[in-house]
Amino acid sequence: MLVSEAVHCLTERGISATVNAVAHEIGIDQSGASRLIKSATSAGYLVMEASAADGRRREASLTPAGRSMLNQAHRWQEEVFGQLAAGWSEQRRREFQQAMTDLVDRSYTTET
């Protein structure tokens, strides 16, 4: 799940999902990311292919099974959020969502 989400997020931001990019996204070393990618590929959630821009590089992408798994996980997350935020006004939900979005966006520009 974690590595599939990382590949999805990188791709959404227009970043090639190389092993090193995935490692950075997750916050682990390259060998750990490589093992996670290999496992997700074996499970049928990812595929590794030569980069269209540079054939020497390999990039991960989601398979249909990977997209389906992420969609299910995202729906579950939304359901849990709905339960946790029961009783919140629509404005409070929007403000919380914006604050979380701001934090995530900021995390991409911060080096740790």
Side-chain angles (χ1 to χ4, degrees), residues 83-96:
Q83 293 170 8
L84 293 172
W88 285 13
S89 68
E90 195 56 38
Q91 179 179 349
R92 186 171 184 198
R93 286 174 183 250
R94 281 192 310 272
E95 288 171 350
F96 180 82

Side-chain angles (χ1 to χ4, degrees), residues 30-81:
Q30 184 269 343
S31 63
S34 182
R35 285 191 297 277
L36 289 174
I37 290 170
K38 184 175 182 172
S39 178
T41 300
S42 295
Y45 297 130
L46 296 178
V47 63
M48 289 295 289
E49 298 176 318
S51 167
D54 182 351
R56 297 169 296 177
R57 290 183 5 182
R58 294 177 43 86
E59 297 175 358
S61 60
L62 290 168
T63 64
R67 276 190 222 78
S68 177
M69 183 258 311
L70 278 180
N71 288 337
Q72 289 173 8
H74 292 162
R75 278 193 301 276
W76 176 81
Q77 290 167 347
E78 289 295 325
E79 288 174 20
V80 170
F81 177 74

Side-chain angles (χ1 to χ4, degrees), residues 93-108:
R93 286 174 183 250
R94 281 192 310 272
E95 288 171 350
F96 180 82
Q97 181 182 18
Q98 187 59 56
M100 292 302 295
T101 300
D102 291 347
L103 286 173
V104 169
D105 289 347
R106 180 175 266 182
S107 75
Y108 297 135

